[in-house]
Amino acid sequence: MNCLASPTNDPVSGFFHWGRRYFDTTNSHFFIIDGNVDSELLGEALRKAVCEFGLLGDTRHNYAGITQDASSPVLDESMHSGAMCFSDAVLRRTLMRHVAVHPTSASHPVRLQLIRSADSQRCCLHLLISHEVADVKSGHIFMARFMAIYATLRDSSSARHAGAGFPVCSLADSRPEWFARRALLHRRSRAYVDIARRMLSVDRSCLRGSTSASGGNDFFHQVLPEDLQQGLRIAARRHGVTLNTLFSGALVRYLDKHQGHSGRSVTYSFALSLRKLLGSEHAEAFRSYMVPCTVRLSPPASSRALLQDLGRQTGYLRTDGLALELGRMENAVGLYRDGLPGFVVRWVMKRTQGTNIFFSNPGVIEEDFSCFGTKSLPITDSLTVGCLVHPYDLMFYTSTFGGKTQLDVVFRSSCFGDIEKDFVTPLIAELRKIIDSHD
């Protein structure tokens, strides 16, 4: 078999590897902890954890070209005088400013930010990790291992760590048939045609909320009310769909109502993970598996028909449509590699994506984040948000931590000045309508 792809040309990691010239590639994992953590042990645990992951600390297995010195990963420490909770605007600004000022890079794909309360009784731990090497699941895998190492060090400072390591899987090794000459040329040519069509199209769903003079990015976090969580489970069984499809239906209704162009179809992007598609050996692998996919449809009147349409489209994208989405990523890699001016790249991405709204559903978080390695350090709240890649101005996540589903949104403050009014409240209203509908 003639295989054109090498690990360094992996389209998924390559998208972020070359794209970091034009946009931030940092994913953020936030944890509020009751209790006082030891910064010296944190630093040691971080160094040991980095050594166990081939993409971070072992260049022999490092297909993404990461060069971080495992002996000196970065730990930043500061203090916060306000409330140690995600509803505190000052804490959120501190966290997001840290990403803006200290983004992850090829030399530092992992950073750790520790913010203590004034009385040292609570703290916020912020893992910054490059999307080039880690999707949301991989970030959780790393964080779980890091917490376990910290707990062991805390109980016995002389503990040794054998570090079995975590598998690193390239797409070319996992699916060599995807990179055979004929398959590669076929999907790239399909992608070129699709990109040309999208460049000429005026059918886009780019929304803006209330104006705001504030700059930078912000995030919103809410554990959904219990009655809404129960309603979601009942509605999913009634319609025979996933929670992801219910949230997607609410998003379509929201976009249709607020995009201001009657008669046009609705467009949004969502994250498709290749983990389950590639097989069980990828379940705990450490790398990025996320492929951005585009959904475009004219929403039917009935909720049942809408959910069925969404099921058909997402099912197609998980099978026959996947090659096109991979081809679009590969073509984007070529665009980034050419080193074009930033305004040209942003213009092309905006026209071809056709939306500034992105939906990701990491699903049920399998790792135990109830405490920071020991019950004496309970974790009272946690969330994960990804990098806000242009042209997206808003990305939202519907993770389930510890059996509770939450809505987490990262957004550009200049575009959504009042995130609850502009997005959260109307989205949940549409979600409740779908839950209550029987048509």
Side-chain angles (χ1 to χ4, degrees), residues 277-335:
L277 294 176
L278 293 175
S280 59
E281 66 272 22
H282 295 265
E284 297 297 315
F286 183 83
R287 58 154 294 146
S288 183
Y289 283 97
M290 194 279 288
V291 176
C293 296
T294 301
V295 171
R296 179 179 285 107
L297 55 79
S298 297
S302 77
S303 296
R304 185 174 297 278
L306 171 60
L307 297 176
Q308 289 175 345
D309 282 357
L310 285 169
R312 282 191 291 267
Q313 280 217 32
T314 54
Y316 171 76
L317 289 168
R318 292 177 185 276
T319 53
D320 296 340
L322 178 59
L324 174 61
E325 300 299 337
L326 283 174
R328 282 165 36 81
M329 291 189 82
E330 287 169 325
N331 288 347
V333 169
L335 183 69

Side-chain angles (χ1 to χ4, degrees), residues 97-386:
R97 189 183 303 118
H98 194 75
V99 176
V101 176
H102 303 289
T104 55
S105 63
S107 58
H108 290 104
V110 172
R111 299 181 73 100
L112 197 66
Q113 180 186 20
L114 174 64
I115 304 177
R116 299 184 191 277
S117 62
D119 59 4
S120 295
Q121 296 304 302
R122 304 192 83 196
C123 63
C124 178
L125 198 63
H126 175 197
L127 172 70
L128 301 86
I129 189 164
S130 172
H131 206 335
E132 177 184 347
V133 296
D135 54 13
V136 169
K137 171 67 176 178
S138 292
H140 289 149
I141 291 172
F142 178 87
M143 196 66 194
R145 182 59 188 147
F146 165 62
M147 292 194 306
I149 293 174
Y150 175 87
T152 304
L153 289 171
R154 182 175 179 269
D155 294 338
S156 174
S157 59
S158 61
R160 299 181 63 185
H161 300 271
F166 290 78
V168 178
C169 304
S170 76
L171 295 186
D173 291 338
S174 303
R175 290 294 185 273
E177 68 275 14
W178 287 5
F179 298 95
R181 182 181 299 274
R182 179 174 296 180
L184 189 61
L185 295 179
H186 177 65
R187 70 168 173 267
R188 286 186 178 178
S189 61
R190 281 185 63 196
Y192 276 125
V193 172
D194 184 72
I195 289 170
R197 179 182 60 80
R198 294 187 187 205
M199 289 288 289
L200 297 173
S201 174
V202 296
D203 206 358
R204 300 184 179 88
S205 298
C206 293
L207 302 187
R208 295 291 187 274
S210 55
T211 58
S212 172
S214 61
N217 298 341
D218 197 357
F219 67 89
F220 171 89
H221 167 67
Q222 179 187 58
V223 176
L224 296 180
E226 182 56 40
D227 70 304
L228 181 56
Q229 294 188 52
Q230 180 65 16
L232 283 167
R233 292 189 287 268
I234 293 172
R237 289 194 296 268
R238 184 172 69 246
H239 291 287
V241 298
T242 63
L243 296 186
N244 180 77
T245 304
L246 294 175
F247 280 108
S248 297
L251 177 60
V252 168
R253 291 274 173 82
Y254 164 80
L255 290 169
D256 187 43
K257 184 174 295 185
H258 292 85
Q259 67 180 353
H261 300 288
S262 59
R264 288 188 182 179
S265 58
V266 166
T267 305
Y268 71 93
S269 295
F270 77 96
L272 171 63
S273 174
L274 297 179
R275 286 181 185 272
K276 292 183 179 179
L277 294 176
L278 293 175
S280 59
E281 66 272 22
H282 295 265
E284 297 297 315
F286 183 83
R287 58 154 294 146
S288 183
Y289 283 97
M290 194 279 288
V291 176
C293 296
T294 301
V295 171
R296 179 179 285 107
L297 55 79
S298 297
S302 77
S303 296
R304 185 174 297 278
L306 171 60
L307 297 176
Q308 289 175 345
D309 282 357
L310 285 169
R312 282 191 291 267
Q313 280 217 32
T314 54
Y316 171 76
L317 289 168
R318 292 177 185 276
T319 53
D320 296 340
L322 178 59
L324 174 61
E325 300 299 337
L326 283 174
R328 282 165 36 81
M329 291 189 82
E330 287 169 325
N331 288 347
V333 169
L335 183 69
Y336 300 150
R337 277 179 172 170
D338 290 342
L340 296 175
F343 75 90
V344 174
V345 172
R346 288 191 293 271
W347 178 72
V348 172
M349 296 301 290
K350 180 177 180 180
R351 294 189 68 85
T352 55
Q353 292 306 103
T355 181
N356 65 333
I357 307 294
F358 191 97
F359 171 39
S360 178
N361 181 9
V364 177
I365 307 306
E366 298 170 318
E367 292 73 22
D368 181 8
F369 292 130
S370 60
C371 63
F372 191 69
T374 172
K375 292 183 179 179
S376 63
L377 293 173
I379 294 174
T380 59
D381 217 347
S382 53
L383 71 109
T384 300
V385 294

